Amino acid sequence: MARWQPDARNRLAAAALDLYEERGFEGTTVAEIAERAGLTKRTFFRHFADKREVLFSGTDELERLIVDGIAAAPATEAPLDAVVAGLAATAEVFDAERLPYARRRAAIVDANPDLRERELIKMERLSTSIAAALGERGVAEPAASLAARAGVTIFHVAFGQWVGGEEQRDFGALIERTARELRAVALA
Amino acid sequence: MARWQPDARNRLAAAALDLYEERGFEGTTVAEIAERAGLTKRTFFRHFADKREVLFSGTDELERLIVDGIAAAPATEAPLDAVVAGLAATAEVFDAERLPYARRRAAIVDANPDLRERELIKMERLSTSIAAALGERGVAEPAASLAARAGVTIFHVAFGQWVGGEEQRDFGALIERTARELRAVALA
């Protein structure tokens, strides 16, 4: 086995997903994931803190994309517009190529209460980060927290439609449409 | 000790709160709560599933008040207006008398990651129940989910101001004001 394995992380993630589907998340061990990937447990732990993090490591990148997108929005942009721009920036990763993985991951998370809790915690953390990014733009409270939570709501609903829909749809367009729908609900 | 103890539940809850403050939530056992209340563990488990539920048993009543308030709103009321009416109905329990307890409870929950997770799960469940109540009123998706999540956001922010504020404020008025602020954010 070559010592230099640039794709170790991807192989571990693919093996984990297969095993979570075959045996369930609870029924899978780190040793089994490493074995399936042809790697050691030691290598697994160099890439992931635990077997749960295989499914959640992407959320840090997600948060960064959103927060950077908010920071990059024109200073004159209203808080919720800046948040929507940040959310739409994630269309870069949530593309057609990612959809099959996202669907498999969503099914695994939905089937396990601990993973659903973990998802809630990550969304709560995202809300805090968005509110902080708005604070940096000079948005006061409670507007920053309200716009941040409205943003997480838009993300949550749009993401559910993206992974749950029959056909493949553009994630950025779903974010924009869901933002309009939320505004319509708030205006009614 | 009299066999008939109508206030057993309240005595257990008060003893639990005292002990969580004195020893921390983690450092307190059900046996200690029962002893402090002058009751048995058996009696504790007749009232609460575990020591965590002492802090969360009120959320079922909360959910009922909100869902009933939504159902009672005039049929012509817009979805978010019906949700706000339901949320404002909880001012019945979140009154001046309840505030000292709510503040103590919030401090205990904030200090413990497991309890904060539990709170997130209860809020997520509340969101699902509100969306279902809107569905019963004929509100379609995604408007029902969006109005429900907007409602939970309003509740969360208003509740934070109620327990976190220096003076004592009317919870119903805080709900109404936060709803106006969310609408302003959505409109901007």
Side-chain angles (χ1 to χ4, degrees), chain A residues 117 121 149 156 183 186-187, chain B residues 117 121 149 156 183 186-187:
Chain A
E117 285 183 25
I121 295 162
R149 289 180 178 277
H156 185 100
R183 286 187 152 112
L187 276 172
Chain B
E117 284 183 27
I121 294 161
R149 288 180 180 277
H156 186 100
R183 287 189 150 112
L187 277 174

Side-chain angles (χ1 to χ4, degrees), chain B residues 65-149:
Chain B
L65 278 170
I66 295 169
V67 164
D68 288 353
I70 293 169
T76 52
E77 201 125 76
L80 191 57
D81 286 329
V83 172
V84 170
L87 297 173
T90 64
E92 185 188 298
V93 287
F94 295 132
D95 58 10
E97 203 186 333
R98 174 87 155 233
L99 187 53
Y101 166 80
R103 284 184 167 148
R104 292 174 66 195
R105 178 192 172 280
I108 293 162
V109 171
D110 284 348
N112 185 289
D114 287 345
L115 297 175
R116 288 202 305 268
E117 284 183 27
R118 185 81 188 155
E119 190 100 303
L120 288 181
I121 294 161
K122 293 272 180 171
M123 287 297 110
E124 185 69 10
R125 212 186 68 181
L126 176 61
S127 161
T128 307
S129 300
I130 293 175
L134 290 173
E136 301 257 321
R137 292 170 64 86
V139 181
E141 285 296 344
S145 288
L146 289 168
R149 288 180 180 277

